[in-house]
């Protein structure tokens, strides 16, 4: 299999994931986007591992780590989404915090 | 109150005068002329190091001695005179103190060997002049005159400053005696025109020569004894002294001497004409001082070193006398305007007598000292034609002609002032209180100075031919003035249509006023620039920072996706940065 | 064939001890939940102390890494002490907090000690995820969760970008050990521009943790959402770990590409200090100000990295030296904020008006801490630190960056000094009505312990200001 | 025990004690303590100087401060710094003395204020004595924040916003400048590998080329803000006008000298090559400053602002002197710095006395005829003005004269001068115009305030107490400097080669 194929797919996955993170309003979709980006990296790693015929299989081992990390990330992410849901009542991710004025009143000493 | 101070003031001045006399008399014989090796005595008190070149060293010769004696005598007489003149003045104490400071400064100038010491004395004199002119600081003319005097003389002083730099650079020393020695040696430096011209600038300021001549007349609101001391006998004559002191340096360059001669000629005649048209006795005297100082410069410029010094001495005596006379008159009638005077000869006989001697000397009437010294000046111009003089013969001719014309004008204005003051009848009739003779403490100095005006003649040279010429001029001009006066016309009207212009003193002050306006406008411009141009940048920077700060705070919307967008865009852009590099 | 090198226990010992401590704290808390902050704190301190002892006995792969480890350990210790203040208002659960703190610390230590990109990624996540959880755990503020969400998404994206970069790096070099990458990058088979892009992608995750512009937007929200000791942790420990990794990565595997990435670091540094300072200008809240200030300080600490290729020890240790000073100063000010939140009732400037008059220690702490951050005498140590980071920049010839730094020193002074001025406002200038006294309580023992952090910070700042060798001497 | 180190540490310790013990001290006691410390410092400096062997640096100490960075606690004084050191200590003593009768607002505020002043004293001594660039910088910055507090807290009581703005403007200008200066210092380090000033001066001629020029520009910028050189002077009028009397005096007498001293010690001595390249610009800006400042003075309505602007002009002469790079020019810089310190201190004390009485220093409010209303005050003001306008025989003259002479020598083509002949001639004329304008605006002030028909005012009280004593001390100092310039020159002259050594 030519190297180009997994690379192109990985690029597509990453782009898709980034799009989801940036544009989707629903928290779960955002988490999915993150997952996609991580998997794009994993795909690359595996592909390069094969291409290099890496005897120590660095790519594969890192992929394993990435899978574990992704799980941890999603776990944490879902927990936060849950807490958010409890606090605000929906899982739309924008406008969670009303933009507060950070400029307190008071005399400007300097 | 004042009596206690006055005793000590006069006492201290007397002690100073005695000291001056002790220093001066032994050196009167050191008269080696301008070009000789310095014959005076040099004394070093403090040596200030090589780099700065300031040391306290004294150089006393004939010239210094003459000046010292003049200053000490007039100073002492003025102090005595002031006891009566300023009796009851609240500021008598500071007045006498400043006079003493002035005398010290004047003495410093004339005995200094180190040029920096001379500069110190020179400018302290200017300060004293400023302070004394503004003695009556409640009066606007006194304040204005003082400022004007200080600023115009300061222009000259800057010339002196640079001249001293140049001397130091050229001669490698700041000691006058060493400069003179260098000039007397065969390998004297050449190309001293710049130094000479700078020195001319210095004396133009200090001695109120054209074009900086107007300050002296405006200095007249000061107390009259001060006018006698500072603005007639001593400080203004310091310019003449400086030229005489550094004579070889100036005389090395014909250009310098020609410039000096031209300045002197212009000033001489101009000031005489201004004196003719002035309506104020003190202003007449002030202009005449300017005119007479120009005589001295004229003499020096054509090589008449001794004539210049002699005229300085004689002028010091008779002009001090005239100013004190004017003070006596002013003290009696409370005004110095000529139209307020007239007929004072009866009420103030002694003042009249001494005043007459003084005016006669000013006009150059035989046998007053003024006759002899002015003749000497004119004779030196005559002598310079065709002989080895520092200036071209043509210049000497001009000096001679202008000198003779000015002599005639001098006679006319002297006669005019004298007769408007003492002859006829006016002041006693108009005065609200009885006019009577001045107190003895004022009359005393008048008598002493009048005697000096007559007796100094004995020390003066005499040239018969020039004496006859000038006497003829005196007679003719006197007759003309007398005819005009007895016809009931002001001799000033002899100027014809030019008279109003001279009465306005040729509007010369407009120039200074214009300079002042320009400076103030420039000041406004600078202030505005500081505020709106230079100040704009820091203000704009601060405002921009604050604005950006608010924008940044507002950008913290709390929206995670906005943040990630920025993050991704940032990653992209920074990556591009690396690629483009 | 051995595919796995023997584990380097000397280096691994330090983070391992901390990680073990984390688990012990969690387990103990799970079974005997009554212990509270005092016990979790004690356990945490014990594990940090054990790690420190290991480190003192040579448990490190190199001097620079050891230096970073010391800074991280001691800062974590300070944060643990500081966290005792939370006991008094029960903002966070004690056991979980202790566990997360120690986990993240272990992550930071691993990050510093890693010599392999795989380790680096794992360490990065070990640092990030507990940090996010710590931010989210604050109970008394709804904003905590939403700021944790922001932090999470940004962090996950940054990690993903880094991972993507790593995968490409792997593709370019065929290995992910530092040594292998160094060799691989010296090879010019792949166009330099391409490898440069890969390198920058890898760096994004680390620069994100340092909190540099344009990867900084989470910081103000996270700091303000989290409880103050957590913010202190983020600003020092987390930043320190990332900086250590960044330094090692730039100076070792990525060194061949220095002519490429230097502009990235320089621009990021310049932007960070400028935007961080500008953002801080408008703040009227201690934590908000410190958040932006930490962005700016991130810029200062990144700046010397541009010249690591010059290779001298002084240059390599410049970021470490700056970080150490920054840690002391920043923790002192954060300690004031943490205690102040409790005893003054809030962290806005209004709470601090004239505080120096009432609590001189706060006054001194703010003067020394803030001015050390600003780089001004009497906190001479801060000034020397600025000198330290300027040195490599000028040696590398980055004059424009040095000038930007100079302007930012001036800009920073404005807002640092503003708080000093507020604290020293004379009695007649403090409008009593405007001062928010709030819940001005004398805190309990937890507060007292946190207070001791302030005192220690002040002593350290004063001592090092008089004799900076105290801090620069032990560091490489 | 090294006298210089003691003189440096003593005020710092005093500051600490004053702040710690502030509740136990009365206002008067604190003020007298400040006077005492400053006088002791002055004595120590004098004794140390006299006891020095006159070779190289007196009381030189060189201790390692930060080993890993090769920073040293390197102190020492020579003929350039000693006059400034002594002047600083004396002026600080006078400033504290002024507080005896004129305590700052607020309850028992004097200990705090004197404490800040002591910090400033330490900092100034440190700057003048430092022989390590970083140490120089540390002390250079140390004085800033105390000064900010002095201005912002105890400044003009009628304008709380204005005084804080002025203080901040002062701080920011200086800080931007000094931060750039630090960049310059680091560049010097990067080029030479050391920050010890004597070592740098020894290899000064080797520091040349683009990077050295960059370093010189940065350093000059920082020092030019402090000096101040036009057009970086804008902080000065506000800061001086809004500061309390003690602040104005210290700013004018001491702070500005930090800049001029730095120009000598760091700019000219360490980077002679680039200094030569930049000298024409420096000279030009100096003269522009002279003229512009005196023009601005003609239009000032506030006495303190006027004096502040006049400082810009006087510092222009100092800068001009330095820019000539002639021996006489360097001497001019030192002498004019000292003289300006004394004369302007007197002027500011006087303006402060007036402001204390009238609540403002607006010339129109002060009224006229002060000679009659407050004779002693008026005479002192007149004396100070005359000294400031450069009357020969008073302190102000010699510095100006030497600066002009240096310019003249450059115009006459002296060897090694920093200015071209034509430029020097133009600058000379400009500077002379400035001298004339200086006279004009001071006479304007005297005419407006001291002279004229007296306008009596309830606040008319003549100099009394410490005001009188301060005036006497300063008048004597002005006279001594003016009449015996050799006193200072004898100290300065042997050290000039240390400054110009590299440049020749």
């Amino acid at each position: 299999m030519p190297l180009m194929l997994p690379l192109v797919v990985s690029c597509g996955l990453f782009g898709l994931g980034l799009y989801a993170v940036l544009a989707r309003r629903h928290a779960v979709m955002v988490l999915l986007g993150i997952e996609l980006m991580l998997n794009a990296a994993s795909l690359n790693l595996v592909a390069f591992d094969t291409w290099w015929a890496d005897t120590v299989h660095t790519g594969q081992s890192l992929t394993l780590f990435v899978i574990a990390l992704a799980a941890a990330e999603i776990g944490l992410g879902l927990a936060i989404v849950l807490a958010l849901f409890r606090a605000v009542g929906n899982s739309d991710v924008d406008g969670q915090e009303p933009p507060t004025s950070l400029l307190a009143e008071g005399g400007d000493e300097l | 109150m004042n009596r206690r101070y006055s005793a000590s003031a006069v006492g201290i001045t007397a002690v100073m005068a005695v000291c001056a006399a002790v220093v001066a008399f032994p050196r009167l014989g050191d008269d080696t002329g301008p070009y000789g090796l310095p014959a005076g005595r040099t004394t070093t008190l403090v040596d200030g190091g090589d780099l700065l070149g300031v040391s306290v060293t004294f150089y006393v010769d004939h010239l210094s001695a003459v000046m010292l004696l003049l200053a000490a005598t007039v100073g002492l007489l003025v102090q005595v005179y002031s006891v009566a003149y300023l009796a009851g003045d609240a500021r008598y104490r500071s007045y006498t103190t400043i006079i003493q400071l002035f005398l010290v400064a004047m003495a410093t100038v004339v005995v200094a060997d180190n040029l920096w010491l001379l500069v110190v004395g020179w400018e302290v004199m200017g300060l004293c002049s400023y302070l004394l002119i503004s003695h009556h600081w409640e009066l606007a003319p006194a304040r204005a005159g003082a400022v004007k005097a200080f600023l115009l003389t300061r222009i000259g002083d800057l010339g002196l400053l640079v001249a001293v730099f140049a001397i130091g650079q050229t001669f490698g020393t700041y000691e006058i005696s060493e400069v003179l020695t260098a000039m007397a040696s065969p390998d004297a430096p050449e190309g001293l025109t710049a130094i000479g011209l700078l020195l001319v600038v210095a004396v133009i300021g200090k001695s109120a020569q054209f074009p900086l001549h107007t300050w002296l007349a405006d200095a007249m609101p000061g107390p009259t004894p001060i006018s006698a001391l500072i603005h007639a006998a001593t400080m203004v004559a310091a310019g003449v002294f400086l030229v005489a002191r550094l004579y070889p340096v100036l005389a090395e360059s014909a250009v310098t001497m020609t410039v000096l001669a031209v300045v002197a000629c212009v000033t001489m005649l101009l000031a005489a004409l201004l004196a003719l048209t002035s309506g104020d006795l003190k202003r007449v005297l002030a202009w005449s001082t300017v005119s007479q100082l120009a005589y001295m410069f004229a003499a020096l410029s054509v090589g008449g070193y001794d004539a210049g010094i002699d005229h300085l001495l004689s002028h010091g005596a008779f002009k001090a006398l005239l100013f004190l006379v004017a003070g006596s008159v002013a003290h009696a009638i409370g005004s110095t305007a000529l139209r307020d005077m007239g007929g004072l000869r009866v009420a103030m006989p002694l003042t009249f007598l001494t005043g007459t001697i003084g005016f006669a000397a000013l006009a150059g009437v035989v046998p007053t000292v003024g006759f002899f010294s002015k003749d000497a000046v004119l004779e030196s111009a005559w002598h310079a034609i065709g002989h080895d003089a520092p200036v071209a013969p043509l210049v000497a001719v001009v000096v001679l002609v202008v000198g003779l014309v000015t002599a005639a004008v001098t006679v006319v204005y002297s006669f005019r002032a004298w007769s408007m003051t003492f002859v006829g009848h006016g002041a006693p009739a108009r005065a609200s209180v009885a006019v009577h003779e001045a107190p003895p403490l004022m009359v005393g100095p008048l008598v002493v100075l009048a005697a000096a005006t007559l007796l100094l003649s004995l020390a003066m040279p005499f040239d018969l031919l020039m004496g006859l010429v000038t006497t003829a001029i005196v007679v003719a001009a006197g007759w003309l003035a007398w005819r005009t006066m007895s016809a009931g016309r002001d001799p000033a009207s002899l100027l014809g249509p030019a008279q109003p212009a001279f009465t306005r003193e040729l509007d010369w002050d407009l120039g200074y006023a214009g300079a002042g306006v320009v400076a103030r406008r420039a000041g406004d411009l600078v202030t505005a620039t500081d505020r709106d141009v230079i100040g704009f940048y820091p203000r704009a920077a601060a405002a921009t920072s604050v604005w950006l700060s608010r924008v940044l705070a507002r950008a913290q919307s709390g929206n995670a996706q906005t943040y990630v967008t920025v993050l991704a865009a940032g990653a992209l852009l920074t990556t591009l940065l690396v690629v483009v590099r | 064939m051995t595919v796995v090198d023997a584990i380097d226990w000397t280096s691994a010992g330090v983070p391992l001890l901390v990680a073990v401590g984390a688990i012990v704290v969690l387990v103990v808390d799970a079974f005997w939940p009554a212990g509270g902050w005092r016990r979790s704190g004690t356990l945490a301190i014990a594990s940090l102390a054990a790690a420190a002892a290991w480190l003192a006995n040579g448990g490190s792969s190199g001097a620079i890494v050891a230096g970073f480890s010391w800074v991280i350990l001691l800062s974590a210790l300070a944060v643990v002490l500081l966290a005792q203040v939370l006991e008094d208002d029960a903002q966070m659960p004690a056991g979980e907090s202790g566990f997360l703190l120690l986990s993240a610390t272990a992550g930071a230590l691993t990050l510093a000690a890693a010599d392999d990109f795989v380790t680096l990624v794992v360490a990065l996540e070990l640092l990030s995820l507990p940090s996010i959880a710590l931010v989210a755990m604050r109970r008394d503020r709804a904003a905590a969760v939403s700021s944790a969400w922001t932090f999470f998404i940004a962090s996950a994206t940054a990690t993903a970008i880094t991972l993507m970069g790593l995968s490409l790096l792997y593709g370019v070099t065929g290995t992910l050990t530092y040594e292998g990458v160094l060799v691989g990058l010296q090879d010019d088979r792949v166009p330099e521009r391409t490898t440069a892009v890969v390198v920058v992608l890898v760096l994004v995750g680390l620069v994100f943790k340092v909190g540099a512009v344009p990867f900084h937007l989470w910081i103000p929200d996270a700091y303000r959402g989290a409880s103050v000791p957590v913010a202190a942790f983020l600003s020092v420990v987390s930043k320190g770990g990332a900086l250590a990794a960044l330094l090692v990565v730039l100076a070792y595997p990525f060194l061949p590409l220095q002519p490429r990435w230097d502009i990235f670091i320089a621009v990021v540094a310049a932007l960070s200090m400028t935007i961080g300072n500008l953002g801080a200008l408008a703040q009227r809240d201690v934590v908000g100000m410190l958040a932006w200030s930490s962005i700016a300080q991130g810029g200062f600490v990144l700046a010397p990295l541009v010249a690591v290729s010059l290779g001298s020890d002084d240059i390599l240790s410049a970021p470490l030296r700056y970080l150490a000073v920054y840690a002391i100063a920043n923790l002192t000010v954060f300690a004031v904020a943490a205690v102040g939140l409790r005893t003054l009732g809030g962290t806005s400037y209004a709470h601090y008006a004239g505080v120096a008059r009432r609590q001189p220690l706060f006054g001194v702490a703010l003067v020394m801490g803030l001015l050390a951050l600003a780089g001004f005498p009497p906190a001479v140590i801060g000034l020397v630190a600025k000198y330290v980071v300027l040195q490599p920049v000028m040696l590398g010839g980055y004059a424009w960056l040095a000038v930007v730094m100079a302007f930012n020193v001036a800009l920073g002074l404005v807002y640092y000094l503003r708080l000093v001025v507020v604290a020293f406002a004379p009695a007649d200038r403090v409008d009593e009505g405007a001062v928010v006294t709030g819940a001005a309580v004398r805190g309990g023992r937890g507060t007292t312990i946190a207070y001791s952090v302030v005192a220690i910070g002040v002593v350290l700042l004063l001592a090092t200001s008089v004799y900076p060798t105290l801090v620069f001497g032990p560091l490489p | 025990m090294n006298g210089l180190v003691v003189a440096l540490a003593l005020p710092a310790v005093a500051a600490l004690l004053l702040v710690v013990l502030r509740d136990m001290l009365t206002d008067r006691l604190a003020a007298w303590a400040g006077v005492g410390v400053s006088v002791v410092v002055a004595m120590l400096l004098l004794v140390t100087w006299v006891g020095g062997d006159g070779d190289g640096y007196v009381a030189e100490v060189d201790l390692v401060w930060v080993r890993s960075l090769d920073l040293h606690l390197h102190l020492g004084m020579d003929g350039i710094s000693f006059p400034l050191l002594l002047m600083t200590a004396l002026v600080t003593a006078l400033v504290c003395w002024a507080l005896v009768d004129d305590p700052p607002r607020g309850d028992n505020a004097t200990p705090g204020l004197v404490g800040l002043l002591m910090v400033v004293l330490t900092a100034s001594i440190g700057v003048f004595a430092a022989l390590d660039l970083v140490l120089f910088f540390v002390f250079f910055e140390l004085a800033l924040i105390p000064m900010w507090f002095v201005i912002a807290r105890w400044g003009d009581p009628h304008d709380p916003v204005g005084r804080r703005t002025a203080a901040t403007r002062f701080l920011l200008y200086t800080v931007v400048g000094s931060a750039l200066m630090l960049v310059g210092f680091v560049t010097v380090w990067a080029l030479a590998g050391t920050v010890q000033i004597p070592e740098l001066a020894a290899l000064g001629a080797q520091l040349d080329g683009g990077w050295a020029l960059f370093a010189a520009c940065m350093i000059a910028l920082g020092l030019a803000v402090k000096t101040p050189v036009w057009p970086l002077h804008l902080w000065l009028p506000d800061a001086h006008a809004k500061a309390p009397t003690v602040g104005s005096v210290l700013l004018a007498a001491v702070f500005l000298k930090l800049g001029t001293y730095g120009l000598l010690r760091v700019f000219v001595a360490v980077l002679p090559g680039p200094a030569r390249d930049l000298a024409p610009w420096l000279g030009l800006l100096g003269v522009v400053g002279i003229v512009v400042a005196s023009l601005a003075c003609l239009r000032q309505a506030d006495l303190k602002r006027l004096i502040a602007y006049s400082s810009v002009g006087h510092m222009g002469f100092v800068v001009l002197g330095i820019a000539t790079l002639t021996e006489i020019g360097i001497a001019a810089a030192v002498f004019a710095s000292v003289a300006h310190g004394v004369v302007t201190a007197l002027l500011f004390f006087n303006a402060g006395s007036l402001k204390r009485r009238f609540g403002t220093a607006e010339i129109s409010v002060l009224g006229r005829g002060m000679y009659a209303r407050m004779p002693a005050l008026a005479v002192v003001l007149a004396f100070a003005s005359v000294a400031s306008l450069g009357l020969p025989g008073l302190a102000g003259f010699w510095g100006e004269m030497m600066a002009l002479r240096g310019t003249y020598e450059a115009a006459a083509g002296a060897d090694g001068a920093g200015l071209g002949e034509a430029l020097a001639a133009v600058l000379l004329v400009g500077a002379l115009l400035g001298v004339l304008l200086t006279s004009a605006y001071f006479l304007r002030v005297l005419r407006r305030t001291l002279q004229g028909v007296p306008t009596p005012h309830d606040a008319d009280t003549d100099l009394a107490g410490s005001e009188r004593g301060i005036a006497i001390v300063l008048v004597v100092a002005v006279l001594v400097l003016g009449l015996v310039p050799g006193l200072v020159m004898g100290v300065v002259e042997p050290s000039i080669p240390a400054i110009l050594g590299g440049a020749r």
Side-chain angles (χ1 to χ4, degrees), chain C residues 166-178:
Chain C
L166 276 181
S167 69
L168 295 173
L169 186 65
Y170 179 57
V172 171
T173 60
T175 175
L176 283 176
T177 61
Y178 287 179

mmCIF file of all heavy atoms in Angstrom, chain C residues 166-178:
data_model
loop_
_atom_site.group_PDB
_atom_site.id
_atom_site.type_symbol
_atom_site.label_atom_id
_atom_site.label_comp_id
_atom_site.label_asym_id
_atom_site.label_seq_id
_atom_site.Cartn_x
_atom_site.Cartn_y
_atom_site.Cartn_z
ATOM 1 N N LEU C 166 4.210 14.997 15.940
ATOM 2 C CA LEU C 166 5.087 13.890 16.315
ATOM 3 C C LEU C 166 4.995 12.769 15.291
ATOM 4 O O LEU C 166 6.012 12.158 14.927
ATOM 5 C CB LEU C 166 4.700 13.356 17.689
ATOM 6 C CG LEU C 166 5.302 14.122 18.878
ATOM 7 C CD1 LEU C 166 4.863 13.472 20.175
ATOM 8 C CD2 LEU C 166 6.815 14.140 18.776
ATOM 9 N N SER C 167 3.749 12.522 14.837
ATOM 10 C CA SER C 167 3.601 11.439 13.880
ATOM 11 C C SER C 167 4.376 11.766 12.611
ATOM 12 O O SER C 167 5.049 10.908 12.031
ATOM 13 C CB SER C 167 2.122 11.201 13.577
ATOM 14 O OG SER C 167 1.593 12.293 12.851
ATOM 15 N N LEU C 168 4.339 13.033 12.211
ATOM 16 C CA LEU C 168 5.087 13.429 11.023
ATOM 17 C C LEU C 168 6.584 13.380 11.289
ATOM 18 O O LEU C 168 7.380 12.982 10.435
ATOM 19 C CB LEU C 168 4.654 14.823 10.584
ATOM 20 C CG LEU C 168 3.197 14.917 10.119
ATOM 21 C CD1 LEU C 168 2.804 16.360 9.871
ATOM 22 C CD2 LEU C 168 2.995 14.095 8.856
ATOM 23 N N LEU C 169 6.950 13.796 12.504
ATOM 24 C CA LEU C 169 8.361 13.756 12.877
ATOM 25 C C LEU C 169 8.874 12.326 12.794
ATOM 26 O O LEU C 169 9.984 12.053 12.318
ATOM 27 C CB LEU C 169 8.523 14.294 14.302
ATOM 28 C CG LEU C 169 9.950 14.458 14.806
ATOM 29 C CD1 LEU C 169 10.673 15.528 14.001
ATOM 30 C CD2 LEU C 169 9.964 14.811 16.274
ATOM 31 N N TYR C 170 8.030 11.447 13.254
ATOM 32 C CA TYR C 170 8.366 10.033 13.178
ATOM 33 C C TYR C 170 8.532 9.619 11.716
ATOM 34 O O TYR C 170 9.472 8.902 11.353
ATOM 35 C CB TYR C 170 7.268 9.210 13.864
ATOM 36 C CG TYR C 170 7.492 7.730 13.832
ATOM 37 C CD1 TYR C 170 8.659 7.187 14.356
ATOM 38 C CD2 TYR C 170 6.532 6.874 13.301
ATOM 39 C CE1 TYR C 170 8.864 5.832 14.344
ATOM 40 C CE2 TYR C 170 6.725 5.519 13.276
ATOM 41 C CZ TYR C 170 7.898 4.986 13.794
ATOM 42 O OH TYR C 170 8.101 3.641 13.768
ATOM 43 N N GLY C 171 7.650 10.158 10.923
ATOM 44 C CA GLY C 171 7.762 9.854 9.504
ATOM 45 C C GLY C 171 9.051 10.386 8.923
ATOM 46 O O GLY C 171 9.676 9.768 8.059
ATOM 47 N N VAL C 172 9.502 11.508 9.364
ATOM 48 C CA VAL C 172 10.713 12.115 8.814
ATOM 49 C C VAL C 172 11.962 11.402 9.313
ATOM 50 O O VAL C 172 12.898 11.157 8.547
ATOM 51 C CB VAL C 172 10.768 13.610 9.192
ATOM 52 C CG1 VAL C 172 12.111 14.204 8.824
ATOM 53 C CG2 VAL C 172 9.665 14.366 8.488
ATOM 54 N N THR C 173 11.970 11.060 10.597
ATOM 55 C CA THR C 173 13.218 10.552 11.168
ATOM 56 C C THR C 173 13.207 9.060 11.443
ATOM 57 O O THR C 173 14.258 8.461 11.652
ATOM 58 C CB THR C 173 13.529 11.268 12.488
ATOM 59 O OG1 THR C 173 12.449 11.028 13.395
ATOM 60 C CG2 THR C 173 13.678 12.754 12.288
ATOM 61 N N GLY C 174 12.026 8.486 11.550
ATOM 62 C CA GLY C 174 11.954 7.066 11.800
ATOM 63 C C GLY C 174 12.174 6.674 13.244
ATOM 64 O O GLY C 174 12.300 5.503 13.571
ATOM 65 N N THR C 175 12.267 7.636 14.107
ATOM 66 C CA THR C 175 12.447 7.318 15.516
ATOM 67 C C THR C 175 11.852 8.451 16.326
ATOM 68 O O THR C 175 11.599 9.538 15.794
ATOM 69 C CB THR C 175 13.926 7.138 15.870
ATOM 70 O OG1 THR C 175 14.045 6.951 17.268
ATOM 71 C CG2 THR C 175 14.730 8.351 15.461
ATOM 72 N N LEU C 176 11.664 8.238 17.621
ATOM 73 C CA LEU C 176 11.143 9.320 18.458
ATOM 74 C C LEU C 176 12.006 9.542 19.695
ATOM 75 O O LEU C 176 11.621 10.285 20.587
ATOM 76 C CB LEU C 176 9.689 9.046 18.863
ATOM 77 C CG LEU C 176 8.672 9.316 17.736
ATOM 78 C CD1 LEU C 176 7.264 8.945 18.164
ATOM 79 C CD2 LEU C 176 8.705 10.775 17.303
ATOM 80 N N THR C 177 13.168 8.876 19.760
ATOM 81 C CA THR C 177 14.082 9.241 20.849
ATOM 82 C C THR C 177 14.755 10.554 20.477
ATOM 83 O O THR C 177 14.927 10.880 19.299
ATOM 84 C CB THR C 177 15.162 8.180 21.052
ATOM 85 O OG1 THR C 177 15.925 8.096 19.835
ATOM 86 C CG2 THR C 177 14.551 6.817 21.349
ATOM 87 N N TYR C 178 15.102 11.327 21.500
ATOM 88 C CA TYR C 178 15.725 12.625 21.230
ATOM 89 C C TYR C 178 16.973 12.460 20.381
ATOM 90 O O TYR C 178 17.208 13.186 19.421
ATOM 91 C CB TYR C 178 16.084 13.328 22.548
ATOM 92 C CG TYR C 178 14.893 13.882 23.311
ATOM 93 C CD1 TYR C 178 15.075 14.513 24.531
ATOM 94 C CD2 TYR C 178 13.602 13.793 22.795
ATOM 95 C CE1 TYR C 178 14.008 15.030 25.240
ATOM 96 C CE2 TYR C 178 12.528 14.307 23.496
ATOM 97 C CZ TYR C 178 12.726 14.928 24.723
ATOM 98 O OH TYR C 178 11.691 15.442 25.411
#
